[in-house]
Amino acid sequence: MTSASCSTTSSASSTLPAPPDAPAGYADVLVGLQYGDEGKAKIIDVLATEYDVIARFNGGANAGHTIDTPLGRIALKQMPSGVFHPHAALYIGSGCALNPWKLADEITQLREMGVELDGRLHISARAAIVQPHHIALDRRGSAAIGTTGNGIGPCYADRALRVRNEARVNFMLGDLLDNEAETVGAMRQVLTGMINADGGTSPWVAEMSDLLLRLPDVMTLLRPHVEIDRNWLTRRVKCGARVLFEGAQSVLLDVVDGSQPYVTSSHTVPAYAYVGGDLSPKYHRRTIGVAKAIMSRVGRGPFPSELGGERSAKYCREAAEKHIGIEHEHERFCADTLLRSNDAFEVGAALRMLTGEYGTGTGRPRRIGMLDLAQLREVVKAHGVDRLYLNKVDCLAHYLQSSYQGVPMRVHRDVLPSEHIPDVLIYPGLTERSLAYGREGHLDAGLGGFIDFVERHIGTPLAGIGLGPERASMLLLDGAKPTVPSCAVVPQVTNHG
């Protein structure tokens, strides 16, 4: 560990300056480049050995990732993804909206699995607390924009509002540390005001009241991990630590940069890592993007490459409202039959079933789209992405059995050699044999040509492609790629969206 000479605690000895000749470390930022669920945790797992600290800088319990380990499967929502790499310290920055109850549950589950967190996990004392009234407010209005109902939006809103009706409504984790009884009492006052305004008839009253009763016990578990030193990460980097920031959600859902109002409630763009992650941007080294070849989106909002267009969006919206998920779809439909359809909506439904595209935390069916290289190109340019990992490339093989008979991709006009070529092209050279060859660590003309085609259209190199869910299935690239075969015009398939 590069920063071995620097303490990871908040003790007085940890404030000693680094030796004059000690080289400073750096920070890289890893973000999803689409609408979320791109497999960021998998890439962090691949890269974690190169870093000393894995840090979260935004979001909260509204973003989840499932990790399979030799100890079993666990769904994490707030814990940094490097938790199963024991050499790495973990940091949750001030830009996060913290649900203390859910984080305590995660810590308990991890400890039961034998994961050591003492001295490793540090949570900024300035992280905002998701309070019971935030969760109640979010559940009341979640259908309008498709939020997860975890209270993240109201929490960030109260952070900006600060005071409502002369009562403080924004609290940070450090407030519980300084004066727990007073802070819990203030939270209870806000919740009581909501209950009274609703006439005490809301179904969530007992549940939200119970959360407040449990908060002192929860804080007993969290208190040893609260980091009151706002310069903790800076000191680590000055001592040589290498930091990997991981973003929750993805850049197209940024509260400002995304398509309002169908966005998340925090800043997801890589530049915000240094605000929400509590580190000076002068230590920035590289921006790493993660995308997936089978695109998907949960909730409402624009999705230019969606298979089935508005029909797909409406179906997924109604399925979420009726709690229709993977089991129901597999009972009702045959994926292989849908895949051979000439209807893009049915092809999208088949791809969702075959590739498991359902919300990690909610189980909601995700809207499915073709790989949008035009959109990726704009995002790469806007956020200075230095390299990109593309997951689920193996899943593109399903297209070979569809009416497309190749991989459809939406491309950017500026890259096309002729105005007469349509915006959607078919890449014909990717075969099951090419993918199998890639899993063995080799590139043939089909897979190598696909990589070259993607790179030319997005304007940045691919650092790796995912050819399966396991870490070992990530094919890391060295830049040697064969010539790209020519692409075909997209066939006439109903409603490309």
Side-chain angles (χ1 to χ4, degrees), residues 10-315:
S10 297
S11 64
S13 62
S14 67
T15 62
L16 293 175
D21 57 345
Y26 55 79
D28 293 341
V29 183
L30 184 144
V31 291
L33 301 182
Q34 296 162 325
Y35 300 104
D37 304 301
E38 296 96 341
K40 296 182 288 293
K42 175 183 175 181
I43 305 305
I44 291 169
D45 189 46
V46 170
L47 299 177
T49 55
E50 303 174 19
Y51 298 92
D52 304 300
V53 182
I54 312 294
R56 282 280 297 269
F57 66 85
N58 75 309
N62 55 339
H65 47 269
T66 301
I67 300 177
D68 288 309
T69 78
L71 302 173
R73 170 174 289 192
I74 184 170
L76 301 175
K77 293 181 179 294
Q78 298 178 103
M79 190 70 67
S81 299
V83 66
F84 289 102
H85 291 266
H87 77 279
L90 309 168
Y91 185 68
I92 299 176
S94 63
C96 296
L98 196 77
N99 182 316
W101 301 274
K102 290 193 173 184
L103 182 57
D105 288 343
E106 289 184 30
I107 290 173
T108 299
Q109 290 179 62
L110 288 164
R111 284 180 174 172
E112 290 173 351
M113 296 174 74
V115 177
E116 181 58 58
L117 294 173
D118 292 344
R120 288 183 63 205
L121 175 62
H122 300 258
I123 312 165
S124 170
R126 292 176 296 129
I129 299 174
V130 175
Q131 301 169 55
H133 78 274
H134 294 147
I135 300 170
L137 281 170
D138 200 12
R139 289 182 184 176
R140 180 186 294 170
S142 62
I145 55 175
T147 72
T148 60
N150 280 288
I152 310 301
C155 178
Y156 280 121
D158 273 354
R159 168 172 270 191
L161 191 61
R162 294 155 290 164
V163 173
R164 187 192 309 121
N165 298 327
E166 299 186 357
R168 183 180 174 186
V169 290
N170 169 56
F171 290 97
M172 299 181 291
L173 195 57
D175 293 314
L176 284 169
L177 212 63
D178 293 339
N179 196 325
E180 183 178 290
E182 184 177 307
T183 303
V184 172
M187 291 182 185
R188 187 177 301 281
Q189 183 178 353
V190 176
L191 180 63
T192 300
M194 273 192 66
I195 294 172
N196 292 338
D198 288 342
T201 59
S202 297
W204 43 261
V205 171
E207 181 185 354
M208 298 302 113
S209 299
D210 182 61
L211 289 179
L212 284 178
L213 290 173
R214 290 173 49 206
L215 193 51
D217 289 338
V218 165
M219 279 306 299
T220 299
L221 187 62
L222 297 185
R223 188 172 284 106
H225 303 289
V226 179
E227 183 55 68
I228 60 174
D229 180 5
R230 64 184 301 163
N231 293 312
W232 179 82
L233 195 55
T234 299
R235 291 188 295 99
R236 292 295 307 270
V237 174
K238 284 183 176 180
C239 287
R242 303 157 298 177
V243 178
L244 179 62
F245 283 116
E246 61 166 312
Q249 293 86 34
S250 295
V251 297
L252 292 178
L253 300 178
D254 183 88
V255 66
V256 172
D257 203 50
S259 299
Q260 281 281 352
Y262 306 109
V263 294
T264 192
S265 45
S266 64
H267 287 289
T268 62
V269 296
Y272 188 73
Y274 296 94
V275 179
D278 311 314
L279 182 67
S280 168
K282 74 178 183 179
Y283 296 110
H284 179 72
R285 183 184 70 152
R286 175 183 299 153
T287 299
I288 304 166
V290 184
K292 62 181 176 182
I294 301 292
M295 286 187 65
S296 68
R297 177 166 191 169
V298 166
R300 303 189 182 195
F303 192 177
S305 71
E306 186 167 11
L307 292 166
E310 178 53 36
R311 183 179 167 200
S312 167
K314 181 180 179 183
Y315 169 83

Side-chain angles (χ1 to χ4, degrees), residues 231-420:
N231 293 312
W232 179 82
L233 195 55
T234 299
R235 291 188 295 99
R236 292 295 307 270
V237 174
K238 284 183 176 180
C239 287
R242 303 157 298 177
V243 178
L244 179 62
F245 283 116
E246 61 166 312
Q249 293 86 34
S250 295
V251 297
L252 292 178
L253 300 178
D254 183 88
V255 66
V256 172
D257 203 50
S259 299
Q260 281 281 352
Y262 306 109
V263 294
T264 192
S265 45
S266 64
H267 287 289
T268 62
V269 296
Y272 188 73
Y274 296 94
V275 179
D278 311 314
L279 182 67
S280 168
K282 74 178 183 179
Y283 296 110
H284 179 72
R285 183 184 70 152
R286 175 183 299 153
T287 299
I288 304 166
V290 184
K292 62 181 176 182
I294 301 292
M295 286 187 65
S296 68
R297 177 166 191 169
V298 166
R300 303 189 182 195
F303 192 177
S305 71
E306 186 167 11
L307 292 166
E310 178 53 36
R311 183 179 167 200
S312 167
K314 181 180 179 183
Y315 169 83
C316 290
R317 183 166 63 248
E318 292 177 349
E321 294 169 355
K322 297 174 182 177
H323 303 289
I324 293 174
I326 184 170
E327 294 85 2
H328 188 270
E329 288 201 328
H330 278 271
E331 288 173 2
R332 288 186 59 191
F333 309 118
C334 173
D336 291 337
T337 300
L338 293 178
L339 189 64
R340 293 189 293 269
S341 170
N342 285 325
D343 186 335
F345 166 75
E346 293 188 350
V347 173
L351 289 171
R352 175 171 55 250
M353 295 168 66
L354 291 167
T355 63
E357 285 291 339
Y358 298 85
T360 302
T362 63
R364 294 182 290 184
R366 294 174 181 151
R367 301 155 59 190
I368 303 298
M370 67 184 77
L371 180 56
D372 194 336
L373 301 182
Q375 188 181 69
L376 267 180
R377 183 179 183 85
E378 294 298 323
V379 172
V380 163
K381 178 195 273 186
H383 301 293
V385 177
D386 299 296
R387 58 184 59 180
L388 189 150
Y389 290 85
L390 185 64
N391 279 320
K392 284 202 164 183
V393 173
D394 58 307
C395 295
L396 294 177
H398 294 300
Y399 277 119
L400 304 178
Q401 310 303 319
S402 75
S403 53
Y404 290 100
Q405 298 181 336
V407 181
M409 290 179 276
R410 186 169 176 264
V411 293
H412 201 286
R413 276 263 160 229
D414 292 348
V415 190
L416 298 176
S418 169
E419 293 182 0
H420 303 293

